[in-house]
Amino acid sequence: MKNYLTRLWASAAVCAAVMCIASCGKGNFKVEGSITDAADSVLYLENMALDGPQKVDSVTLTADGNFSFSEEAPAGVPEFYRLRIGQQIVNFAVDTVATVNVKASYPTMASTYTIEGGDDNQRIRELALKQIDLQARAKRVVDAPDLSANAVGDSVLALVDKYKEQVMSDYIYKDPGSASAYFALFQGIVAGQAYLMIIDPRRNVDDVKPISAVATSWDVYYPGSLRGENLHNIAIEAMKTRRIVQAEQQGITIDASKVTETDIIDIVLPDNKGVTRRLTDLKGQVVLLDFHVFAAQGSRERIMALRELYNKYHSRGLEIYQVSLDEDEHFWKTQVAALPWISVHDDGSRTQIYLSQAQTLPLDYIISRANIVVLGPRQIKNLEADIAAQL
């Protein structure tokens, strides 16, 4: 199983540190601009597929450095591209059928380029520059003459882990559905003769969390996409590995083929009676995951509507897993005492992945019997009809 996880992650990691994302509708997207000081150099436009870079187009630059590519846009699902001269790479994102404008100077275009065309391009540029800085700092450690091999390894990993915490906080968890969040998952550096992924569930099984965060957002925005499914496969295999490692630490040997995981980020919280309730325990039922504030205006009417839904569909397999975000926990307990469904409470810290999609509350997700998020807040149009369709 560990080898399987390695293959999955290696497949995705082909794009590491050199990816861009293009989320487009029907039509063409255009990439244009100028790369100065690169006369007679070949500029490549490459698609970063899951199995590696694929040449899309190329041009031999003239003295003015101007270039323009126009390509058919993917149909509604993010795709990955890069501009490359030699080892100098520019990553960019297209979130609509639009024009991306890139200006740079060779041979430092990877670190000196400017880009226009989408806010996420700026965040991807920030990540690229941070990665270049991290690579430089790691190289200084590796080249230090007074450090032992163990000291070098520990120091480089410390740099990577510190960088990872910043990236997860500022880019991934802040907006896990963004192009920059996906880009951040696949960054890495060269340390000596080794290539280190920044986020790597093979090295640290807890790294499954940011992967799962982005995978869940892809379920919401791009259901059924190959890249989303690949992220889920990586996350699921990493979670299996974690369970096996935890069992081995307790002196228990378990058969890897018997370990199963659900295709969803779990929520584990005590209910109003102190009983631990896991979202993943509801596999086999259709679940309405509802985030609610009982102290908010309109709460009573909302709860009455949910009661009607529950009474109508519970016998057919509907369950409600309701997360209260009320500040007053005692008030919450009094409000849910008579409710028939699962009621838990959180301050938002343990459910932040789901709340990242929130603009207003209440906030709903519909989860299939297979424990897959099939509809998120932006896709639910008619709550009852959408639930009934899953039953």
Side-chain angles (χ1 to χ4, degrees):
M1 179 179 59
K2 185 174 182 181
N3 289 336
Y4 177 57
L5 175 59
T6 298
R7 290 196 300 273
L8 283 170
W9 193 239
S11 174
V14 168
C15 304
V18 294
M19 298 186 311
C20 76
I21 300 174
S23 173
C24 311
K26 294 180 179 180
N28 283 14
F29 69 91
K30 182 180 289 186
V31 186
E32 61 185 18
S34 64
I35 311 293
T36 60
D37 300 322
D40 299 324
S41 297
V42 179
L43 175 67
Y44 293 93
L45 173 65
E46 296 174 330
N47 170 222
M48 295 307 297
L50 283 174
D51 57 352
Q54 306 292 329
K55 176 184 172 182
V56 176
D57 202 351
S58 65
V59 63
T60 299
L61 297 174
T62 58
D64 61 14
N66 293 335
F67 68 91
S68 180
F69 297 115
S70 180
E71 297 296 329
E72 183 179 354
V77 178
E79 194 47 74
F80 298 75
Y81 295 87
R82 68 183 187 182
L83 292 173
R84 180 179 66 84
I85 300 178
Q87 298 302 311
Q88 291 291 305
I89 293 163
V90 170
N91 306 286
F92 62 94
V94 181
D95 56 12
T96 59
V97 178
T99 298
V100 173
N101 188 281
V102 175
K103 294 182 179 180
S105 178
Y106 190 75
T108 59
M109 74 180 206
S111 58
T112 60
Y113 75 93
T114 62
I115 188 165
E116 297 177 355
D119 291 340
D120 229 11
N121 284 325
Q122 300 305 322
R123 290 188 289 272
I124 289 174
R125 180 177 180 275
E126 290 171 11
L127 284 163
L129 294 180
K130 289 178 183 294
Q131 178 185 357
I132 290 171
D133 177 68
L134 177 65
Q135 176 68 75
R137 287 186 286 134
K139 187 177 187 304
R140 287 196 292 270
V141 172
V142 171
D143 293 343
D146 55 340
L147 291 179
S148 67
N150 287 339
V152 167
D154 291 344
S155 298
V156 169
L157 289 179
L159 288 174
V160 168
D161 288 340
K162 184 176 181 179
Y163 179 87
K164 175 171 63 178
E165 291 301 317
Q166 180 191 11
V167 166
M168 289 193 300
S169 173
D170 295 347
Y171 294 91
I172 297 177
Y173 292 144
K174 183 172 288 186
D175 187 2
S178 67
S180 53
Y182 199 118
F183 179 85
L185 289 180
F186 300 102
Q187 288 193 297
I189 61 169
V190 176
Q193 300 300 312
Y195 186 85
L196 293 177
M197 295 291 292
I198 305 302
I199 295 172
D200 189 350
R202 299 166 301 175
R203 181 170 64 90
N204 184 344
V205 292
D206 284 338
D207 284 0
V208 71
K209 295 176 182 178
I211 298 168
S212 297
V214 178
T216 294
S217 290
W218 276 59
D219 282 342
V220 172
Y221 295 116
Y222 316 110
S225 68
L226 289 177
R227 292 188 184 275
E229 290 177 3
N230 187 60
L231 283 180
H232 269 300
N233 289 336
I234 294 167
I236 290 168
E237 291 303 316
M239 287 188 283
K240 289 181 181 180
T241 300
R242 178 169 57 184
R243 289 184 62 179
I244 292 173
V245 169
Q246 289 172 342
E248 291 174 346
Q249 289 173 343
Q250 299 171 15
I252 302 171
T253 301
I254 60 177
D255 183 351
S257 66
K258 305 299 183 183
V259 180
T260 60
E261 289 289 348
T262 55
D263 201 18
I264 195 173
I265 299 175
D266 207 1
I267 297 176
V268 185
L269 290 168
D271 65 15
N272 54 310
K273 298 178 182 178
V275 178
T276 297
R277 310 303 294 262
R278 304 183 69 98
L279 182 60
T280 53
D281 286 343
L282 301 177
K283 187 173 185 178
Q285 297 173 277
V286 174
V287 179
L288 174 63
L289 175 59
D290 180 75
F291 292 86
H292 187 81
V293 176
F294 285 87
Q297 184 177 4
S299 171
R300 182 173 180 275
E301 292 78 8
R302 166 74 174 175
I303 294 302
M304 290 177 63
L306 290 183
R307 271 186 174 274
E308 291 183 9
L309 277 176
Y310 187 86
N311 292 340
K312 186 174 182 179
Y313 294 108
H314 179 62
S315 63
R316 293 173 55 185
L318 172 67
E319 186 55 82
I320 297 176
Y321 190 105
Q322 188 171 60
V323 182
S324 162
L325 300 171
D326 290 88
E327 293 184 7
D328 188 334
E329 189 171 350
H330 177 73
F331 172 76
W332 158 69
K333 287 184 178 180
T334 64
Q335 296 297 304
V336 302
L339 295 182
W341 54 74
I342 297 171
S343 299
V344 299
H345 181 269
D346 185 37
D347 61 5
S349 62
R350 286 164 291 184
T351 53
Q352 60 180 318
I353 301 306
Y354 293 97
L355 294 173
S356 67
Q357 308 298 330
Q359 294 182 354
T360 60
L361 292 174
L363 182 74
D364 290 319
Y365 292 83
I366 296 176
I367 300 168
S368 72
R369 295 183 189 273
N371 237 195
I372 298 172
V373 175
V374 290
L375 291 175
R378 302 185 187 187
Q379 284 74 42
I380 296 174
K381 305 302 182 184
N382 182 305
L383 188 59
E384 179 173 356
D386 290 336
I387 288 172
Q390 294 300 316
L391 295 168

